Amino acid sequence: MKNNNLFAALRAAFPKDLDAVAVETDTGLNYSWRDLERSTAMLANLLQSLDLPPGARIAVQVEKSVEAMMLYLATLRAGYVFLPLNTAYQSAEIEYFIANAEPSVVVCSKKNFGWVSKIAFKAGTQNVFTLDDDRTGSLLERAAALPEGSDRHEVVQRGADDLAAILYTSGTTGRSKGAMLSHGNMLSNALVLKDYWAWEPGDVLIHALPIFHVHGLFVAIHGALINGSKMIWLAKFDPRLVVQKLPEATVFMGVPTLYVRLLAEPGLTREACRHMRLFIAGSAPLLIETFTEWQERTGHTILERYGMSETAMLTSNPYKGERRGGTVGFALPGVSLRVQDDAGQPLPTGEIGGIQVKGPNVFKGYWRMPEKTKEEFTADGYFKTGDVGKIDERGYITIVGRSKDLIISGGYNVYPAEIEGYINDMSGVAESAVIGVPHPDFGEVGVAIVIAKPGAKLDAEQIIARLKAQLANFKIPKRCFIVGELPRNTMGKVQKNVLREQHKALFA
Ligand code: MLC
Ligand code: AMP
């Protein structure tokens, strides 16, 4: 029987020479393909030795490292479900994810072991590990202590519909939902992108993104591995280092903020990009100015694509044809995409409506939320993305906005409803509205507009400081204003569009 485990497909694409370099790090370490093979086998054996139930979730909140990637691959290999968590999340956020997902294993960094393990044990998780290799309880140390032969492992049999990962994401309601992605979802997407972006022998990818979201974890890692391509691995995005590494690479992927920051590097020249084949952008809108400036500086046209946690990649500008700035290109092969009005009627070319999609890449639903899942799909099986867009006469898709109340800041999603909830809980606050406004570096950032209760005195800086103590740093509004009232429509609903208009030049 064919094994549909995604890892089996990635493993099959490893080059013949297993001693060749698979990953080169910014600290000068080289990992061979054999290292990937052996370490993932050891970690998979270790996970399997824990006697976990079928479908067990492995929740991981660790700093980016090659070992963290190996843990992801080992989880696939052993047939369990990977649940990556942003390293910026603080205790209330982690508590929610662990209570909701009920992971059997939690892996965290050494510095967070105290509070994370407390949350995990309280929620009933039996196994809490660190990944760092200098303390007892480290996964790698344990794996190394397994009996001889533990670096051999037969990839666990998985069906295409079996779960491979849960990615937490949020919709209109503030609370995060776990998007369940299967081995088939991810493999189909990886194979389509290999072809669509014309990956070729000898390609080298600069991996500079975090590995807890679709972009860095799936698009970048799967892309390189399924092509047997070497990765130049940066633990953290550093524009100077990326520019230094460009001459050794052929492919780069980034959110628009990365491109904006790279353009500020004097070393970014045509000469530095002489071996580059492809620059890919996504996760947030790429400004046309960035697209054009990049073309002028480097001679390369950025290829913009569009995706989301629930669907992996949906559309892409073409590799060979015209890459049109301001558009996200065409629906990928196998993806069926349409634009509909609010009444569920298909819209003609050029008209703006809700983007809906269907295809082998579309997720299996939200973890333990069948009702929510049902709401987000149409009767004929299309997923409602919450993005608003149009398709032109040549088939290019443009995203013009979002029907979901969401801010995308530097490629990270921020849910106004979540931040407003925290602000509204503060004493003296009557109400608040969090809006996204344009920002030259992050594309968009959050701004909080707060109303005090009668007689209460509020301090904007204190509100920000309190939020900082509770929430991931990228979610913190960059400014806070205390005002007398919020603009409302005749139904009494806060008019966020009016607030956005009022504050649009704040960071201009
Ligand atoms: C950091 N900060 C941010 C921020 N990142 N603020 C708003 N938005 C962000 N994205 C703030 C911190 O709170 C901190 O503020 C200050 O900036 C410095 O923090 P840092 O950690 O040193 O920042 P830096 O390393 O410069 O990070 C910036 C970044 C990072 C752009 C490199 O945000 C990043 O890696 N973004 C990529 C996100 C990504 O991979 N998205 C893919 C999602 S997948 P203070 O006040 O505390 O000093 C997806 C689907 C798809 O969307 O289609 O791909
Ligand atoms: P996430 O849920 O974090 O995966 O974020 C997915 C969202 O990012 C999508 O629904 C879009 O709103 C947005 N997005 C991704 N790629 C692009 C793009 N190229 N242009 C505009 N928005 C994008």
Side-chain angles (χ1 to χ4, degrees):
M1 198 173 71
K2 182 173 182 267
N3 188 356
N4 287 297
N5 189 316
L6 169 64
F7 183 82
L10 300 177
R11 171 70 188 80
F14 283 13
K16 276 205 182 71
D17 178 11
L18 285 180
D19 293 316
V21 176
V23 188
E24 176 193 310
T25 71
D26 47 6
T27 51
L29 284 178
N30 283 340
Y31 293 80
S32 67
W33 294 93
R34 194 183 304 285
D35 292 332
L36 291 196
E37 163 57 23
R38 290 189 57 229
S39 304
T40 56
M42 285 165 70
L43 285 167
N45 279 323
L46 176 68
L47 290 174
Q48 283 183 263
S49 76
L50 298 174
D51 224 8
L52 308 176
R57 276 79 58 209
I58 316 293
V60 178
Q61 190 199 28
V62 296
E63 294 301 328
K64 181 177 176 183
S65 67
V66 179
E67 288 70 23
M69 174 181 73
M70 285 171 175
L71 177 57
Y72 162 57
L73 297 172
T75 303
L76 293 176
R77 188 170 186 155
Y80 298 121
V81 181
F82 194 70
L83 196 171
L85 294 165
N86 194 318
T87 44
Y89 291 148
Q90 301 204 49
S91 59
E93 291 153 316
I94 293 295
E95 206 167 343
Y96 171 77
F97 296 122
I98 291 184
N100 190 259
E102 296 182 348
S104 299
V105 178
V106 171
V107 185
C108 63
S109 49
K110 190 172 111 179
K111 70 176 187 338
N112 296 337
F113 186 81
W115 64 268
V116 174
S117 62
K118 211 163 142 189
I119 290 171
F121 290 136
K122 204 173 124 204
T125 301
Q126 307 267 332
N127 306 284
V128 185
F129 301 110
T130 63
L131 194 60
D132 324 50
D133 56 359
D134 59 350
R135 72 173 272 150
T136 330
S138 145
L139 259 192
L140 293 171
E141 264 190 10
R142 283 200 176 213
L146 284 178
E148 220 179 307
S150 66
D151 62 351
R152 283 191 297 277
H153 175 270
E154 194 168 334
V155 181
V156 169
Q157 194 79 23
R158 276 292 168 266
D161 281 337
D162 286 333
L163 280 199
I166 297 181
L167 293 195
Y168 274 86
T169 174
S170 217
T172 44
T173 50
R175 268 299 180 198
S176 283
K177 309 180 292 286
M180 301 188 287
L181 291 154
S182 68
H183 287 266
N185 289 149
M186 300 208 278
L187 180 56
S188 68
N189 213 236
L191 291 172
V192 162
L193 294 177
K194 172 173 159 66
D195 205 38
Y196 209 79
W197 292 341
W199 282 85
E200 54 187 50
D203 266 336
V204 175
L205 171 79
I206 296 185
H207 193 304
L209 286 162
I211 55 168
F212 33 68
H213 288 305
V214 165
H215 202 159
L217 185 65
F218 300 154
V219 190
I221 291 177
H222 298 168
L225 294 185
I226 205 135
N227 193 53
S229 283
K230 179 173 120 173
M231 283 185 263
I232 297 178
W233 187 265
L234 273 52
K236 201 172 176 329
F237 171 68
D238 171 350
R240 190 157 304 165
L241 193 53
V242 171
V243 169
Q244 226 179 65
K245 292 288 173 190
L246 281 174
E248 299 164 37
T250 63
V251 183
F252 178 78
M253 293 182 194
V255 301
T257 300
L258 270 52
Y259 285 97
V260 169
R261 293 188 183 183
L262 283 166
L263 280 167
E265 283 300 314
L268 181 77
T269 58
R270 282 174 189 248
E271 176 61 14
C273 298
R274 65 194 177 279
H275 298 136
M276 286 298 293
R277 184 175 70 74
L278 185 57
F279 288 96
I280 302 167
S283 305
L286 180 74
L287 291 182
I288 194 79
E289 300 90 87
T290 313
F291 176 85
T292 311
E293 204 185 329
W294 194 271
Q295 236 166 4
E296 285 161 5
R297 276 281 286 284
T298 68
H300 285 269
T301 305
I302 297 174
L303 179 154
E304 185 173 3
R305 88 320 177 263
Y306 155 57
M308 57 194 301
S309 303
E310 289 93 333
T311 63
M313 296 304 101
L314 289 165
T315 76
S316 171
N317 268 282
Y319 181 69
K320 283 224 169 88
E322 184 195 353
R323 299 177 199 161
R324 289 189 139 185
T327 83
V328 292
F330 309 108
L332 287 167
V335 175
S336 157
L337 183 146
R338 68 188 185 193
V339 175
Q340 289 213 339
D341 65 13
D342 289 344
Q345 293 307 309
L347 286 168
T349 303
E351 290 204 19
I352 293 171
I355 297 177
Q356 302 181 351
V357 295
K358 197 174 183 172
N361 52 312
V362 176
F363 75 137
K364 302 287 153 200
Y366 294 111
W367 171 254
R368 289 181 181 163
M369 288 187 189
E371 288 306 314
K372 191 74 206 159
T373 303
K374 220 167 130 197
E375 270 172 39
E376 303 298 334
F377 280 87
T378 62
D380 59 348
Y382 277 77
F383 173 63
K384 302 179 214 165
T385 62
D387 292 309
V388 173
K390 59 181 182 181
I391 309 177
D392 72 12
E393 64 296 337
R394 290 173 58 191
Y396 284 86
I397 296 151
T398 303
I399 297 173
V400 299
R402 300 168 207 128
S403 59
K404 48 195 175 191
D405 191 12
L406 161 71
I407 300 166
I408 303 186
S409 187
Y412 286 140
N413 290 3
V414 179
Y415 297 91
E418 182 185 15
I419 319 302
E420 290 159 5
Y422 276 87
I423 299 175
N424 296 345
D425 279 348
M426 294 178 192
S427 72
V429 171
E431 201 184 353
S432 65
V434 172
I435 52 162
V437 301
H439 189 272
D441 183 30
F442 293 121
E444 203 179 10
V445 293
V447 170
I449 323 288
V450 183
I451 301 192
K453 280 186 180 148
K457 264 203 99 48
L458 291 177
D459 180 81
E461 275 179 25
Q462 229 175 50
I463 291 177
I464 296 282
R466 281 199 202 144
L467 289 175
K468 274 192 179 172
Q470 293 172 290
L471 288 167
N473 59 8
F474 64 88
K475 295 182 188 173
I476 310 302
K478 300 285 183 225
R479 293 286 296 276
C480 176
F481 298 99
I482 316 290
V483 300
E485 60 179 358
L486 293 171
R488 292 177 192 280
N489 64 16
T490 47
M491 311 286 287
K493 198 168 176 275
V494 174
Q495 290 172 301
K496 288 201 167 175
N497 52 335
V498 173
L499 289 173
R500 278 192 285 267
E501 191 55 32
Q502 280 170 2
H503 295 284
K504 69 176 184 202
L506 209 50
F507 301 97

